Amino acid sequence: TTQLKDDIVVPGTLTSVGANAFYTSGITSIEINLTDSISNGISFSSTFQACPNLKSAKISGHIDTMTRTFWNCSSLETFDTTNLTVRYLNEYCFSSCSKLSGSLTLNFLKSPTAAASIYGALYARNEGESVNGNFYKCTSLEEVKLLGEISEITSGANFYGCSTLKR
């Protein structure tokens, strides 16, 4: 567990993020401004997973792949995606973010070589392994808007347990 706390602002010069970069840290908010180049798309793998105090996040720019990015961030209330594009939304992205509320808009942008996709419902990648969906148990989320060019959404379990989801 890292000892990072409070608010973190990362400048636009960020070109990579290591897996588990803020895993279980004490941060309360994060603002990241990524470089705008789609060819330099950054992957966020378990980046903020299990950050118990994280209440708000704002990411601008392009993310190539989001995997377990905010998984089990039980205090996350808002995620500002105003200037964000994503190519792949992989398993567990917002799973168990029970306080994430209101409306969430994700803009998908295909790369020159591949279309955007949303993976990670309840299917087995390996025998005996089950995977929870991207918005699994986001019990306060009322609306999710998925915009752009999406080629595939696997199974309906991406929204399993989203009891307040209206559309």
Side-chain angles (χ1 to χ4, degrees), residues 26-78:
I27 62 173
T28 56
S29 72
I30 185 82
E31 182 176 339
I32 299 176
N33 299 301
L34 302 170
T35 57
D36 291 330
S37 175
I38 292 171
S39 62
N40 294 332
I42 294 174
S43 292
F44 278 66
S45 179
S46 301
T47 308
F48 308 104
Q49 182 177 335
C51 289
N53 302 322
L54 183 61
K55 290 185 178 186
S56 67
K58 178 179 182 177
I59 302 176
S60 301
H62 178 71
I63 297 175
D64 186 66
T65 305
M66 292 178 71
T67 304
R68 299 181 195 98
T69 307
F70 295 100
W71 181 21
N72 203 23
C73 288
S74 56
S75 297
L76 184 66
E77 297 172 358
T78 61

Side-chain angles (χ1 to χ4, degrees), residues 16 18 50-51 68 83 101 110 112 125 151 157:
S16 68
C51 289
R68 299 181 195 98
N83 295 306
S101 62
K110 69 178 187 176
R125 287 182 181 238
S151 65

